[in-house]
Amino acid sequence: MIKHYPNGVPFQENVTAQSGSSFHTAPAQENVIYGNRGMSLEQEINLSNKYYLENGIAVIHKKPIPIQIVDVNYPKRSAAVIREAYFKQASTTDYNGVYQGHYIDFEAKETRNHSSFPLNNFHDHQIKHMKACEKQQGICFTIVRFVTRQEIYLMPSHLLFLYWDNQSNGRKSIPYDQIKKESYLINYQINPRIPYLIGVDQLIQKLKMP
Amino acid sequence: MIKHYPNGVPFQENVTAQSGSSFHTAPAQENVIYGNRGMSLEQEINLSNKYYLENGIAVIHKKPIPIQIVDVNYPKRSAAVIREAYFKQASTTDYNGVYQGHYIDFEAKETRNHSSFPLNNFHDHQIKHMKACEKQQGICFTIVRFVTRQEIYLMPSHLLFLYWDNQSNGRKSIPYDQIKKESYLINYQINPRIPYLIGVDQLIQKLKMP
């Protein structure tokens, strides 16, 4: 029987013995970081972006949630309070910014599916937006986390477009094997936690090739 | 005495006589458009961005206002209502996007000042953000409207940085003459109303020069 820590990480009785003198090896480190400490993919990407920003590597931000404000109170001597507002559907993707002269634009999505990534994670206007950005030579992709596999991929948008545009064939998801083959696996690190710009570098190299 | 229409446009008694047979000449047209029909600079830029997007010229959006949500109601059978939220200070500029492979980042500001543009239109983090974007080869600028002059300039960020970084000298604004000399005048058009990408083209050309 596998026991678990309260944070969901499996308890390994022999982990101390195993790591012992090899405290800095990759597997031991990965075990710790894979626990995620309850962080969502979004939180981890935000932290990674903070690292990239503070180290002058890239300027990439999550966009605020679009909101329709209906009523605002302006109390004396304190901050304005929004008293009635509604969530609006975003017309673009969640993240964008600039990296070494490249415009960067992406979505971040998690799935508990094991063998495919469902296309209903996207809205039509997000696909339209990414297509428009690519036409302007922007670098567009999705960061996909397969929760049950503990794997993160940087999936180039051409793969997403291919399956999106052929949904009428009946296939409503992108097979895991296809993503694994055509995307860039992003391994967790200490800092930045999700070093996705490594995948961006590879994608840019590939796009440059004739 | 000058009379005004309810929308603030000055009434010109002789305008019909003047335009008469020259309905399509530039001056008459400009009179109409300069009235702005009560539109803010922001609304006009949003319309221009819509034109650029729909015509496949560029993908540039205004970012949503950042908000700290405290309380949300989820009524049955209707949309979630935000019942308590506060405005947060933006950590970036208002607009960004991609145009012909270039990352574009800017603020839009109006001033009723006649002879200078006050630096208190900006916050420190916006300047920081623009500097970080330029380091990544982004194209950064401010669209400045001098309301009393009915003139719009695309002001490159280097001019803003110059005056911002030297505020300790006591000068808290950028002189109009300096802006006129170092920026790109954007003339109103029918569509897009503010064709600021013409100024961006000129700025990119200039940045390319050694």
Side-chain angles (χ1 to χ4, degrees):
Chain A
M1 187 196 135
I2 302 164
K3 288 176 263 181
H4 287 82
Y5 288 108
N7 65 357
V9 177
F11 172 64
Q12 292 176 278
E13 288 193 83
N14 53 352
V15 76
T16 322
Q18 262 188 359
S19 52
S21 59
S22 61
F23 223 28
H24 298 286
T25 56
Q29 237 178 40
E30 277 175 9
N31 269 339
V32 173
I33 301 174
Y34 274 179
N36 290 328
R37 295 175 191 158
M39 268 199 197
S40 67
L41 179 61
E42 183 184 311
Q43 285 171 312
E44 292 188 317
I45 290 175
N46 291 349
L47 277 182
S48 304
N49 285 341
K50 194 164 174 261
Y51 175 90
Y52 285 138
L53 182 66
E54 284 169 357
N55 289 276
I57 297 165
V59 184
I60 297 166
H61 288 276
K62 183 171 191 297
K63 288 180 208 160
I65 301 164
I67 275 166
Q68 180 72 47
I69 297 169
V70 176
D71 185 31
V72 184
N73 265 16
Y74 296 94
K76 276 183 196 170
R77 282 173 238 179
S78 56
V81 194
I82 298 161
R83 283 295 176 205
E84 186 183 354
Y86 298 89
F87 296 101
K88 284 200 294 186
Q89 200 171 52
S91 54
T92 65
T93 47
D94 275 353
Y95 296 88
N96 77 355
V98 60
Y99 167 57
Q100 293 184 358
H102 296 281
Y103 172 79
I104 304 294
D105 198 293
F106 65 96
E107 276 288 316
K109 300 285 185 188
E110 296 183 271
T111 181
R112 300 199 70 86
N113 271 35
H114 199 69
S115 59
S116 71
F117 181 70
L119 290 168
N120 63 12
N121 276 289
F122 293 92
H123 295 289
D124 194 45
H125 54 264
Q126 291 173 321
I127 306 286
K128 252 191 190 160
H129 171 74
M130 284 200 256
K131 284 183 177 177
C133 288
E134 289 221 328
K135 213 183 132 195
Q136 296 297 328
Q137 301 154 53
I139 307 293
C140 302
F141 52 89
T142 305
I143 296 180
V144 180
R145 172 147 71 187
F146 284 94
V147 177
T148 58
R149 293 177 182 270
Q150 302 193 330
E151 283 177 2
I152 294 178
Y153 288 95
L154 187 145
M155 177 173 75
S157 52
H158 71 81
L159 186 62
L160 173 60
F161 298 162
L162 182 71
Y163 279 85
W164 184 267
D165 294 340
N166 288 297
Q167 282 185 81
S168 54
N169 296 349
R171 168 107 222 175
K172 302 285 186 199
S173 65
I174 311 173
Y176 167 78
D177 291 340
Q178 204 64 27
I179 291 173
K180 189 172 177 168
K181 202 172 128 196
E182 307 241 1
S183 306
Y184 305 97
L185 180 69
I186 310 297
N187 290 308
Y188 270 100
Q189 275 183 188
I190 291 291
N191 221 346
R193 291 169 79 89
I194 301 180
Y196 68 88
L197 288 181
I198 295 171
V200 171
D201 285 336
Q202 292 173 285
L203 178 56
I204 290 169
Q205 278 311 313
K206 203 182 166 191
L207 292 172
K208 271 186 193 159
M209 286 195 294
Chain B
M1 187 196 137
I2 302 164
K3 287 176 263 181
H4 287 84
Y5 287 107
N7 65 356
V9 177
F11 172 63
Q12 292 176 279
E13 290 193 83
N14 54 352
V15 76
T16 322
Q18 262 187 358
S19 54
S21 61
S22 60
F23 225 25
H24 298 285
T25 58
Q29 238 178 38
E30 276 175 9
N31 269 338
V32 174
I33 300 175
Y34 274 177
N36 290 331
R37 296 175 189 158
M39 268 199 197
S40 68
L41 179 61
E42 182 184 312
Q43 286 172 310
E44 292 187 317
I45 290 175
N46 290 349
L47 277 182
S48 304
N49 285 340
K50 193 166 175 258
Y51 175 89
Y52 285 138
L53 181 66
E54 285 170 356
N55 290 275
I57 296 165
V59 184
I60 297 164
H61 288 276
K62 184 172 190 297
K63 288 178 209 162
I65 300 164
I67 275 165
Q68 180 72 48
I69 297 170
V70 176
D71 183 33
V72 184
N73 264 16
Y74 296 94
K76 275 183 196 169
R77 281 172 238 180
S78 57
V81 194
I82 297 161
R83 283 296 177 204
E84 187 182 353
Y86 298 89
F87 295 101
K88 284 200 295 187
Q89 201 172 53
S91 53
T92 65
T93 47
D94 274 355
Y95 295 87
N96 77 354
V98 59
Y99 167 57
Q100 293 185 0
H102 296 281
Y103 172 80
I104 304 294
D105 198 292
F106 65 97
E107 276 287 317
K109 301 283 186 189
E110 296 183 270
T111 182
R112 299 198 72 84
N113 271 35
H114 199 69
S115 58
S116 69
F117 181 69
L119 290 168
N120 63 11
N121 276 288
F122 293 92
H123 297 288
D124 194 46
H125 53 264
Q126 291 173 321
I127 306 286
K128 252 192 190 159
H129 170 74
M130 284 200 257
K131 285 183 176 176
C133 288
E134 289 220 330
K135 213 183 134 195
Q136 296 296 327
Q137 301 154 52
I139 307 293
C140 301
F141 52 89
T142 305
I143 296 180
V144 180
R145 172 147 71 187
F146 284 95
V147 177
T148 59
R149 293 178 181 271
Q150 302 193 328
E151 283 177 2
I152 294 178
Y153 289 95
L154 186 144
M155 177 173 75
S157 50
H158 72 83
L159 187 61
L160 173 61
F161 298 162
L162 183 70
Y163 279 84
W164 185 267
D165 294 339
N166 288 296
Q167 282 186 81
S168 55
N169 296 349
R171 167 108 223 173
K172 302 285 186 199
S173 64
I174 311 172
Y176 167 78
D177 290 341
Q178 205 63 30
I179 291 173
K180 188 172 178 168
K181 204 174 127 195
E182 307 242 1
S183 306
Y184 306 97
L185 181 68
I186 310 297
N187 290 308
Y188 270 100
Q189 276 182 187
I190 292 291
N191 222 344
R193 291 170 80 90
I194 301 180
Y196 68 87
L197 288 181
I198 295 171
V200 171
D201 285 335
Q202 291 172 287
L203 178 56
I204 289 169
Q205 278 310 314
K206 203 183 167 190
L207 292 173
K208 271 185 195 161
M209 285 193 298

